[in-house]
Amino acid sequence: MSTESKTTKSLLLLSVVFTTLAAGFLASPSSQPAKQNISLVDTNFLDKSTWRRSYADLVKAKEDLSDFDCYACHEKNKPPPLRYDAEQHLIVPKEHPDIVMHHGSHERNNNCYNCHNESNLELFQTRDKHELKLADSAPLCGSCHGPTYRDWEAGIHGRTSGYWDRSLGAMDRKLCVNCHNPHSPKFPGRKPAPGPHPLREVETARGTPGRSGSDLHAAVNDPLASSPQSLRPGVPRAEAH
Amino acid sequence: MSAPNPNSPCSGSTNMDRRSFLRTSAVLTTGLAALAASLKPLMEMEDFPTAERFMQKYYKEMTPADMDKVLARITNEVEKQYGLRPHVRDYKPMDGVEFVYCLNLTRCIGCRKCVHACVAENNQSRNPEIQYIRVLKMPHGSLDIEKAEHNYDPAQVPEKGFFYMPVQCQQCKNPPCVKVCPVHATWQESDGITVIDYDWCIGCRYCEAACPYWARRFNFTKPEIPKERLNPEMSYLGNRPRRQGVMEKCHFCIQRTRQGKYPACLEVCPAGARKFGNILDPNSEVSQILRTKRVFIQLKEEIGTSPRFFYYFDV
């Protein structure tokens, strides 16, 4: 009889264990962590095109080039006069509203004819009076920016796309003006793409020492979270600009 | 075993009365029901390996015919799951090629476009989010990763006084992750890319712990990719969809670079900060950068991993 009662006892004990486990599993709706609401990234951030189109691109795409017909407004053989304000800043005529002259520090490059050819506005000219076509702007930039031009020719500076292996396909090297506005060449700022979402949101504030066990997964996918300098969204930023 | 069990209900009525039989049966039934209920998490498992996948050979031992069968299986699995017939290939390393990545820290503006181009190209899970590239923001004049921030979200980048450092798999020459793998599911190929066989990985995450660059990601849950965002150009060791419970990481876009193309993160970079190529070709961009640029660093070079990923500065 003692064997039978032992068996019954152990079976009962096991039943209690299994029932507890089952209750535990049923209480939590899924063994998978709750899904966060992460929206898909805006496809604009996946766009591979350059932010400017060069004159060469427009010619290639056979687009409207009437904007580049200088002598629709200007008179031939009569260089347009340059006007300066009291502080010797170039006054850009209101007929060219898209031009903001900001090439070179300290406003030193404030003469249109440093690059444009005054006797033929449909051409460029370098400082040593070499004439260049509008589509051939890179050597014009290179006439001042020598080291950068050398790097660009080697593919070190600037954007490339296509094939690294030239035997399998062509490498497309973008022009200076695909990224830099020649009148204001500093690279413009832009909105960054969304930052990372940790697997589970971590509620950490600056100086909070403890981390609960439920944050373990987040810590794995987010090693910098434990660093006190790491700033979470919504936490006031000390070095804000 | 030869003697009849005295507790068994069919052993006769000598040792068991009606009451104890009923009690034992009731307890047994309750126990079995409870056992079944406690196995609920198993019922949620959808991804039971098929016999084909279970019997699959080790990658390096597969013949081309074996690989064709495996690729056909993957094609069917992806089509069944996403309703889209992918183009899955197994690209082998090219002869005389060793890949190197160079990243110009002076040019990087921290826009994170590379992060999302990588996710789109390599079919990473969108929810939960898995990203191979993490962009660190650091104050000028320092290179202290402990002080780096990666959750920055200003109206505009770059911010004055800061620089940005994207970190991804460094494709080490001496990779600690490969050494710790207990099943040889990750290894270094002849072109320098450290790859993972997702069908061989057991998900122990030793490699994740071993990596000093935090480059490896684990699929804690079933990856979720919207059908319209799935990239159908796939490779076996690269961007084919992963399962729950396997590791993944940057593989220099195997499906692109082994066909001679640039990786996706390079193509999308608006600042031209990323440069990629064959270090064995003296005329490649990366060879010229390492030859002519004045300063370049390998991240944590003092630990001897010898990364194939170089950060440099220029004027």
Side-chain angles (χ1 to χ4, degrees), chain A residues 12-54:
Chain A
L12 264 173
L13 194 73
L14 273 178
S15 307
V16 171
V17 170
F18 287 144
T19 317
T20 324
L21 273 176
F25 287 135
L26 290 169
S28 65
S30 169
S31 58
Q32 305 267 331
K35 284 270 158 94
Q36 287 179 64
N37 192 14
I38 301 178
S39 50
L40 287 176
V41 72
D42 185 346
T43 45
N44 282 336
F45 288 120
L46 309 177
D47 185 12
K48 292 180 184 174
S49 59
T50 54
W51 76 279
R52 297 185 88 246
R53 297 182 77 197
S54 66

mmCIF file of all heavy atoms in Angstrom, chain A residues 12-54:
data_model
loop_
_atom_site.group_PDB
_atom_site.id
_atom_site.type_symbol
_atom_site.label_atom_id
_atom_site.label_comp_id
_atom_site.label_asym_id
_atom_site.label_seq_id
_atom_site.Cartn_x
_atom_site.Cartn_y
_atom_site.Cartn_z
ATOM 1 N N LEU A 12 0.383 13.545 -7.823
ATOM 2 C CA LEU A 12 -0.329 14.754 -7.396
ATOM 3 C C LEU A 12 0.605 15.956 -7.429
ATOM 4 O O LEU A 12 0.250 17.025 -7.923
ATOM 5 C CB LEU A 12 -0.875 14.561 -5.983
ATOM 6 C CG LEU A 12 -2.331 14.099 -5.903
ATOM 7 C CD1 LEU A 12 -2.702 13.787 -4.478
ATOM 8 C CD2 LEU A 12 -3.249 15.176 -6.487
ATOM 9 N N LEU A 13 1.831 15.733 -6.908
ATOM 10 C CA LEU A 13 2.821 16.814 -6.875
ATOM 11 C C LEU A 13 3.104 17.306 -8.296
ATOM 12 O O LEU A 13 3.105 18.512 -8.580
ATOM 13 C CB LEU A 13 4.099 16.293 -6.217
ATOM 14 C CG LEU A 13 5.091 17.381 -5.806
ATOM 15 C CD1 LEU A 13 4.553 18.116 -4.586
ATOM 16 C CD2 LEU A 13 6.459 16.789 -5.509
ATOM 17 N N LEU A 14 3.312 16.342 -9.204
ATOM 18 C CA LEU A 14 3.586 16.696 -10.608
ATOM 19 C C LEU A 14 2.418 17.472 -11.198
ATOM 20 O O LEU A 14 2.608 18.444 -11.915
ATOM 21 C CB LEU A 14 3.844 15.440 -11.434
ATOM 22 C CG LEU A 14 5.285 14.955 -11.431
ATOM 23 C CD1 LEU A 14 5.400 13.668 -12.248
ATOM 24 C CD2 LEU A 14 6.213 16.017 -12.018
ATOM 25 N N SER A 15 1.171 17.000 -10.895
ATOM 26 C CA SER A 15 -0.014 17.688 -11.414
ATOM 27 C C SER A 15 -0.022 19.131 -10.962
ATOM 28 O O SER A 15 -0.311 20.042 -11.744
ATOM 29 C CB SER A 15 -1.292 17.026 -10.921
ATOM 30 O OG SER A 15 -1.235 15.672 -11.204
ATOM 31 N N VAL A 16 0.322 19.340 -9.680
ATOM 32 C CA VAL A 16 0.342 20.713 -9.145
ATOM 33 C C VAL A 16 1.367 21.536 -9.924
ATOM 34 O O VAL A 16 1.084 22.653 -10.371
ATOM 35 C CB VAL A 16 0.656 20.693 -7.638
ATOM 36 C CG1 VAL A 16 0.901 22.111 -7.132
ATOM 37 C CG2 VAL A 16 -0.481 20.036 -6.876
ATOM 38 N N VAL A 17 2.571 20.958 -10.157
ATOM 39 C CA VAL A 17 3.635 21.678 -10.884
ATOM 40 C C VAL A 17 3.152 22.041 -12.298
ATOM 41 O O VAL A 17 3.253 23.183 -12.742
ATOM 42 C CB VAL A 17 4.919 20.820 -10.955
ATOM 43 C CG1 VAL A 17 5.922 21.438 -11.904
ATOM 44 C CG2 VAL A 17 5.525 20.671 -9.573
ATOM 45 N N PHE A 18 2.600 21.023 -12.987
ATOM 46 C CA PHE A 18 2.156 21.271 -14.372
ATOM 47 C C PHE A 18 1.030 22.301 -14.408
ATOM 48 O O PHE A 18 1.000 23.157 -15.296
ATOM 49 C CB PHE A 18 1.671 19.962 -15.014
ATOM 50 C CG PHE A 18 2.804 19.026 -15.348
ATOM 51 C CD1 PHE A 18 2.653 17.647 -15.211
ATOM 52 C CD2 PHE A 18 4.018 19.512 -15.802
ATOM 53 C CE1 PHE A 18 3.682 16.790 -15.523
ATOM 54 C CE2 PHE A 18 5.053 18.657 -16.122
ATOM 55 C CZ PHE A 18 4.892 17.291 -15.977
ATOM 56 N N THR A 19 0.086 22.202 -13.442
ATOM 57 C CA THR A 19 -1.026 23.151 -13.434
ATOM 58 C C THR A 19 -0.515 24.565 -13.219
ATOM 59 O O THR A 19 -0.952 25.507 -13.881
ATOM 60 C CB THR A 19 -2.035 22.786 -12.325
ATOM 61 O OG1 THR A 19 -2.217 21.371 -12.336
ATOM 62 C CG2 THR A 19 -3.354 23.489 -12.517
ATOM 63 N N THR A 20 0.462 24.701 -12.294
ATOM 64 C CA THR A 20 1.030 26.030 -12.056
ATOM 65 C C THR A 20 1.673 26.559 -13.325
ATOM 66 O O THR A 20 1.467 27.717 -13.720
ATOM 67 C CB THR A 20 2.091 25.970 -10.940
ATOM 68 O OG1 THR A 20 1.671 25.024 -9.966
ATOM 69 C CG2 THR A 20 2.318 27.325 -10.320
ATOM 70 N N LEU A 21 2.475 25.697 -13.981
ATOM 71 C CA LEU A 21 3.134 26.113 -15.231
ATOM 72 C C LEU A 21 2.101 26.542 -16.262
ATOM 73 O O LEU A 21 2.224 27.613 -16.883
ATOM 74 C CB LEU A 21 3.952 24.946 -15.808
ATOM 75 C CG LEU A 21 5.386 24.804 -15.297
ATOM 76 C CD1 LEU A 21 6.011 23.549 -15.891
ATOM 77 C CD2 LEU A 21 6.204 26.028 -15.707
ATOM 78 N N ALA A 22 1.067 25.698 -16.426
ATOM 79 C CA ALA A 22 0.042 25.992 -17.418
ATOM 80 C C ALA A 22 -0.637 27.304 -17.100
ATOM 81 O O ALA A 22 -0.847 28.146 -17.986
ATOM 82 C CB ALA A 22 -0.985 24.864 -17.456
ATOM 83 N N ALA A 23 -0.941 27.519 -15.812
ATOM 84 C CA ALA A 23 -1.592 28.765 -15.417
ATOM 85 C C ALA A 23 -0.691 29.940 -15.749
ATOM 86 O O ALA A 23 -1.132 30.966 -16.276
ATOM 87 C CB ALA A 23 -1.915 28.731 -13.927
ATOM 88 N N GLY A 24 0.601 29.763 -15.458
ATOM 89 C CA GLY A 24 1.563 30.831 -15.755
ATOM 90 C C GLY A 24 1.592 31.157 -17.228
ATOM 91 O O GLY A 24 1.537 32.326 -17.628
ATOM 92 N N PHE A 25 1.666 30.118 -18.069
ATOM 93 C CA PHE A 25 1.737 30.348 -19.520
ATOM 94 C C PHE A 25 0.455 30.953 -20.040
ATOM 95 O O PHE A 25 0.473 31.820 -20.922
ATOM 96 C CB PHE A 25 2.020 29.038 -20.254
ATOM 97 C CG PHE A 25 3.431 28.556 -20.083
ATOM 98 C CD1 PHE A 25 3.712 27.234 -19.807
ATOM 99 C CD2 PHE A 25 4.494 29.445 -20.203
ATOM 100 C CE1 PHE A 25 5.015 26.792 -19.648
ATOM 101 C CE2 PHE A 25 5.798 29.019 -20.052
ATOM 102 C CZ PHE A 25 6.052 27.689 -19.770
ATOM 103 N N LEU A 26 -0.690 30.481 -19.492
ATOM 104 C CA LEU A 26 -1.968 30.997 -19.986
ATOM 105 C C LEU A 26 -2.184 32.445 -19.552
ATOM 106 O O LEU A 26 -2.814 33.226 -20.263
ATOM 107 C CB LEU A 26 -3.123 30.113 -19.496
ATOM 108 C CG LEU A 26 -3.165 28.725 -20.137
ATOM 109 C CD1 LEU A 26 -4.160 27.832 -19.414
ATOM 110 C CD2 LEU A 26 -3.535 28.828 -21.626
ATOM 111 N N ALA A 27 -1.641 32.791 -18.376
ATOM 112 C CA ALA A 27 -1.816 34.161 -17.894
ATOM 113 C C ALA A 27 -1.095 35.141 -18.812
ATOM 114 O O ALA A 27 -1.608 36.214 -19.127
ATOM 115 C CB ALA A 27 -1.298 34.280 -16.471
ATOM 116 N N SER A 28 0.147 34.771 -19.245
ATOM 117 C CA SER A 28 0.837 35.647 -20.201
ATOM 118 C C SER A 28 0.347 35.250 -21.588
ATOM 119 O O SER A 28 0.437 34.091 -21.965
ATOM 120 C CB SER A 28 2.348 35.480 -20.084
ATOM 121 O OG SER A 28 2.707 34.185 -20.465
ATOM 122 N N PRO A 29 -0.198 36.204 -22.362
ATOM 123 C CA PRO A 29 -0.861 35.862 -23.615
ATOM 124 C C PRO A 29 0.078 35.216 -24.629
ATOM 125 O O PRO A 29 -0.343 34.421 -25.436
ATOM 126 C CB PRO A 29 -1.375 37.210 -24.119
ATOM 127 C CG PRO A 29 -0.621 38.246 -23.356
ATOM 128 C CD PRO A 29 -0.217 37.635 -22.066
ATOM 129 N N SER A 30 1.358 35.562 -24.576
ATOM 130 C CA SER A 30 2.272 34.986 -25.559
ATOM 131 C C SER A 30 3.658 34.951 -24.956
ATOM 132 O O SER A 30 4.006 35.774 -24.114
ATOM 133 C CB SER A 30 2.258 35.835 -26.824
ATOM 134 O OG SER A 30 3.313 35.431 -27.662
ATOM 135 N N SER A 31 4.440 33.972 -25.391
ATOM 136 C CA SER A 31 5.811 33.915 -24.910
ATOM 137 C C SER A 31 6.673 34.950 -25.617
ATOM 138 O O SER A 31 7.776 35.247 -25.206
ATOM 139 C CB SER A 31 6.373 32.515 -25.139
ATOM 140 O OG SER A 31 6.291 32.205 -26.507
ATOM 141 N N GLN A 32 6.157 35.495 -26.724
ATOM 142 C CA GLN A 32 6.900 36.512 -27.470
ATOM 143 C C GLN A 32 6.746 37.861 -26.760
ATOM 144 O O GLN A 32 5.671 38.152 -26.247
ATOM 145 C CB GLN A 32 6.335 36.654 -28.888
ATOM 146 C CG GLN A 32 6.294 35.364 -29.654
ATOM 147 C CD GLN A 32 7.529 35.149 -30.491
ATOM 148 O OE1 GLN A 32 8.153 36.097 -30.923
ATOM 149 N NE2 GLN A 32 7.886 33.909 -30.712
ATOM 150 N N PRO A 33 7.820 38.674 -26.723
ATOM 151 C CA PRO A 33 7.673 39.980 -26.109
ATOM 152 C C PRO A 33 6.653 40.827 -26.879
ATOM 153 O O PRO A 33 6.500 40.659 -28.092
ATOM 154 C CB PRO A 33 9.065 40.588 -26.191
ATOM 155 C CG PRO A 33 9.932 39.622 -26.863
ATOM 156 C CD PRO A 33 9.144 38.435 -27.266
ATOM 157 N N ALA A 34 5.977 41.705 -26.160
ATOM 158 C CA ALA A 34 4.973 42.550 -26.808
ATOM 159 C C ALA A 34 5.622 43.381 -27.909
ATOM 160 O O ALA A 34 6.730 43.889 -27.749
ATOM 161 C CB ALA A 34 4.348 43.456 -25.767
ATOM 162 N N LYS A 35 4.936 43.480 -29.048
ATOM 163 C CA LYS A 35 5.477 44.234 -30.184
ATOM 164 C C LYS A 35 5.355 45.730 -29.915
ATOM 165 O O LYS A 35 4.332 46.199 -29.431
ATOM 166 C CB LYS A 35 4.703 43.881 -31.455
ATOM 167 C CG LYS A 35 5.093 42.525 -32.026
ATOM 168 C CD LYS A 35 6.232 42.645 -33.011
ATOM 169 C CE LYS A 35 6.989 41.352 -33.203
ATOM 170 N NZ LYS A 35 6.556 40.537 -34.298
ATOM 171 N N GLN A 36 6.430 46.436 -30.268
ATOM 172 C CA GLN A 36 6.347 47.888 -30.187
ATOM 173 C C GLN A 36 5.716 48.411 -31.459
ATOM 174 O O GLN A 36 5.653 47.719 -32.456
ATOM 175 C CB GLN A 36 7.743 48.481 -30.133
ATOM 176 C CG GLN A 36 8.476 48.315 -28.862
ATOM 177 C CD GLN A 36 9.842 48.955 -29.018
ATOM 178 O OE1 GLN A 36 9.962 50.159 -29.201
ATOM 179 N NE2 GLN A 36 10.866 48.141 -28.998
ATOM 180 N N ASN A 37 5.311 49.650 -31.390
ATOM 181 C CA ASN A 37 4.756 50.273 -32.575
ATOM 182 C C ASN A 37 5.893 50.984 -33.323
ATOM 183 O O ASN A 37 6.210 52.128 -33.027
ATOM 184 C CB ASN A 37 3.662 51.251 -32.135
ATOM 185 C CG ASN A 37 2.843 51.705 -33.306
ATOM 186 O OD1 ASN A 37 2.924 51.108 -34.383
ATOM 187 N ND2 ASN A 37 2.083 52.748 -33.119
ATOM 188 N N ILE A 38 6.524 50.264 -34.246
ATOM 189 C CA ILE A 38 7.623 50.867 -35.018
ATOM 190 C C ILE A 38 7.127 51.074 -36.440
ATOM 191 O O ILE A 38 6.780 50.103 -37.120
ATOM 192 C CB ILE A 38 8.868 49.956 -35.028
ATOM 193 C CG1 ILE A 38 9.345 49.696 -33.597
ATOM 194 C CG2 ILE A 38 9.978 50.573 -35.855
ATOM 195 C CD1 ILE A 38 10.533 48.769 -33.503
ATOM 196 N N SER A 39 7.087 52.321 -36.881
ATOM 197 C CA SER A 39 6.614 52.557 -38.245
ATOM 198 C C SER A 39 7.755 52.349 -39.226
ATOM 199 O O SER A 39 8.926 52.508 -38.888
ATOM 200 C CB SER A 39 6.040 53.965 -38.365
ATOM 201 O OG SER A 39 6.951 54.883 -37.842
ATOM 202 N N LEU A 40 7.407 51.997 -40.446
ATOM 203 C CA LEU A 40 8.416 51.783 -41.486
ATOM 204 C C LEU A 40 9.088 53.106 -41.822
ATOM 205 O O LEU A 40 8.465 54.165 -41.760
ATOM 206 C CB LEU A 40 7.748 51.218 -42.746
ATOM 207 C CG LEU A 40 7.304 49.774 -42.661
ATOM 208 C CD1 LEU A 40 6.587 49.375 -43.928
ATOM 209 C CD2 LEU A 40 8.496 48.858 -42.426
ATOM 210 N N VAL A 41 10.360 52.999 -42.186
ATOM 211 C CA VAL A 41 11.117 54.224 -42.448
ATOM 212 C C VAL A 41 10.626 54.876 -43.753
ATOM 213 O O VAL A 41 10.233 54.188 -44.698
ATOM 214 C CB VAL A 41 12.627 53.916 -42.479
ATOM 215 C CG1 VAL A 41 13.009 53.156 -43.722
ATOM 216 C CG2 VAL A 41 13.443 55.177 -42.368
ATOM 217 N N ASP A 42 10.604 56.191 -43.761
ATOM 218 C CA ASP A 42 10.233 56.970 -44.939
ATOM 219 C C ASP A 42 11.159 56.607 -46.105
ATOM 220 O O ASP A 42 12.383 56.616 -45.955
ATOM 221 C CB ASP A 42 10.395 58.455 -44.566
ATOM 222 C CG ASP A 42 9.930 59.396 -45.659
ATOM 223 O OD1 ASP A 42 9.733 58.920 -46.800
ATOM 224 O OD2 ASP A 42 9.781 60.593 -45.381
ATOM 225 N N THR A 43 10.577 56.269 -47.256
ATOM 226 C CA THR A 43 11.414 55.815 -48.381
ATOM 227 C C THR A 43 12.345 56.916 -48.909
ATOM 228 O O THR A 43 13.275 56.623 -49.649
ATOM 229 C CB THR A 43 10.556 55.283 -49.546
ATOM 230 O OG1 THR A 43 9.496 56.194 -49.763
ATOM 231 C CG2 THR A 43 10.020 53.907 -49.254
ATOM 232 N N ASN A 44 12.087 58.175 -48.527
ATOM 233 C CA ASN A 44 13.007 59.247 -48.922
ATOM 234 C C ASN A 44 14.407 58.995 -48.384
ATOM 235 O O ASN A 44 15.398 59.389 -48.996
ATOM 236 C CB ASN A 44 12.526 60.597 -48.377
ATOM 237 C CG ASN A 44 11.385 61.145 -49.202
ATOM 238 O OD1 ASN A 44 11.242 60.800 -50.373
ATOM 239 N ND2 ASN A 44 10.560 61.961 -48.583
ATOM 240 N N PHE A 45 14.481 58.319 -47.233
ATOM 241 C CA PHE A 45 15.791 58.045 -46.640
ATOM 242 C C PHE A 45 16.512 56.922 -47.391
ATOM 243 O O PHE A 45 17.676 56.664 -47.145
ATOM 244 C CB PHE A 45 15.646 57.685 -45.158
ATOM 245 C CG PHE A 45 15.286 58.865 -44.292
ATOM 246 C CD1 PHE A 45 14.122 58.870 -43.549
ATOM 247 C CD2 PHE A 45 16.114 59.963 -44.224
ATOM 248 C CE1 PHE A 45 13.793 59.949 -42.750
ATOM 249 C CE2 PHE A 45 15.792 61.060 -43.439
ATOM 250 C CZ PHE A 45 14.616 61.052 -42.700
ATOM 251 N N LEU A 46 15.805 56.222 -48.284
ATOM 252 C CA LEU A 46 16.433 55.145 -49.052
ATOM 253 C C LEU A 46 16.839 55.625 -50.449
ATOM 254 O O LEU A 46 17.394 54.864 -51.230
ATOM 255 C CB LEU A 46 15.477 53.954 -49.176
ATOM 256 C CG LEU A 46 14.863 53.444 -47.872
ATOM 257 C CD1 LEU A 46 13.882 52.326 -48.147
ATOM 258 C CD2 LEU A 46 15.942 52.962 -46.929
ATOM 259 N N ASP A 47 16.540 56.894 -50.730
ATOM 260 C CA ASP A 47 16.794 57.442 -52.060
ATOM 261 C C ASP A 47 18.300 57.555 -52.309
ATOM 262 O O ASP A 47 19.030 58.130 -51.511
ATOM 263 C CB ASP A 47 16.137 58.832 -52.139
ATOM 264 C CG ASP A 47 16.239 59.426 -53.521
ATOM 265 O OD1 ASP A 47 16.611 58.685 -54.451
ATOM 266 O OD2 ASP A 47 15.957 60.623 -53.673
ATOM 267 N N LYS A 48 18.746 56.985 -53.433
ATOM 268 C CA LYS A 48 20.179 56.983 -53.724
ATOM 269 C C LYS A 48 20.604 58.157 -54.602
ATOM 270 O O LYS A 48 21.779 58.302 -54.895
ATOM 271 C CB LYS A 48 20.559 55.678 -54.434
ATOM 272 C CG LYS A 48 20.447 54.472 -53.541
ATOM 273 C CD LYS A 48 20.825 53.216 -54.289
ATOM 274 C CE LYS A 48 20.606 51.998 -53.418
ATOM 275 N NZ LYS A 48 20.823 50.765 -54.133
ATOM 276 N N SER A 49 19.653 58.971 -55.060
ATOM 277 C CA SER A 49 20.040 60.038 -55.990
ATOM 278 C C SER A 49 20.747 61.159 -55.239
ATOM 279 O O SER A 49 20.600 61.314 -54.033
ATOM 280 C CB SER A 49 18.806 60.568 -56.714
ATOM 281 O OG SER A 49 17.891 61.064 -55.777
ATOM 282 N N THR A 50 21.511 61.945 -55.978
ATOM 283 C CA THR A 50 22.188 63.086 -55.375
ATOM 284 C C THR A 50 21.151 64.184 -55.135
ATOM 285 O O THR A 50 20.099 64.199 -55.766
ATOM 286 C CB THR A 50 23.270 63.628 -56.313
ATOM 287 O OG1 THR A 50 22.669 63.908 -57.576
ATOM 288 C CG2 THR A 50 24.369 62.615 -56.504
ATOM 289 N N TRP A 51 21.427 65.105 -54.235
ATOM 290 C CA TRP A 51 20.397 66.101 -53.916
ATOM 291 C C TRP A 51 20.369 67.239 -54.943
ATOM 292 O O TRP A 51 19.400 67.971 -55.019
ATOM 293 C CB TRP A 51 20.550 66.630 -52.496
ATOM 294 C CG TRP A 51 21.647 67.616 -52.274
ATOM 295 C CD1 TRP A 51 22.968 67.326 -52.093
ATOM 296 C CD2 TRP A 51 21.526 69.033 -52.197
ATOM 297 N NE1 TRP A 51 23.671 68.471 -51.919
ATOM 298 C CE2 TRP A 51 22.814 69.544 -51.978
ATOM 299 C CE3 TRP A 51 20.470 69.928 -52.299
ATOM 300 C CZ2 TRP A 51 23.075 70.894 -51.855
ATOM 301 C CZ3 TRP A 51 20.732 71.282 -52.178
ATOM 302 C CH2 TRP A 51 22.027 71.756 -51.960
ATOM 303 N N ARG A 52 21.399 67.366 -55.784
ATOM 304 C CA ARG A 52 21.381 68.363 -56.859
ATOM 305 C C ARG A 52 21.548 67.644 -58.192
ATOM 306 O O ARG A 52 22.095 66.551 -58.249
ATOM 307 C CB ARG A 52 22.527 69.370 -56.700
ATOM 308 C CG ARG A 52 22.465 70.192 -55.453
ATOM 309 C CD ARG A 52 23.568 71.224 -55.465
ATOM 310 N NE ARG A 52 23.159 72.466 -56.127
ATOM 311 C CZ ARG A 52 23.664 72.924 -57.247
ATOM 312 N NH1 ARG A 52 24.617 72.269 -57.870
ATOM 313 N NH2 ARG A 52 23.234 74.055 -57.781
ATOM 314 N N ARG A 53 21.096 68.297 -59.242
ATOM 315 C CA ARG A 53 21.326 67.749 -60.575
ATOM 316 C C ARG A 53 22.251 68.705 -61.311
ATOM 317 O O ARG A 53 22.051 69.911 -61.303
ATOM 318 C CB ARG A 53 19.997 67.603 -61.324
ATOM 319 C CG ARG A 53 19.075 66.626 -60.618
ATOM 320 C CD ARG A 53 17.802 66.444 -61.384
ATOM 321 N NE ARG A 53 17.986 65.585 -62.541
ATOM 322 C CZ ARG A 53 17.111 65.550 -63.542
ATOM 323 N NH1 ARG A 53 16.049 66.322 -63.533
ATOM 324 N NH2 ARG A 53 17.311 64.729 -64.555
ATOM 325 N N SER A 54 23.272 68.140 -61.927
ATOM 326 C CA SER A 54 24.236 68.982 -62.614
ATOM 327 C C SER A 54 23.712 69.327 -64.011
ATOM 328 O O SER A 54 22.766 68.718 -64.505
ATOM 329 C CB SER A 54 25.572 68.245 -62.721
ATOM 330 O OG SER A 54 25.419 67.127 -63.562
#
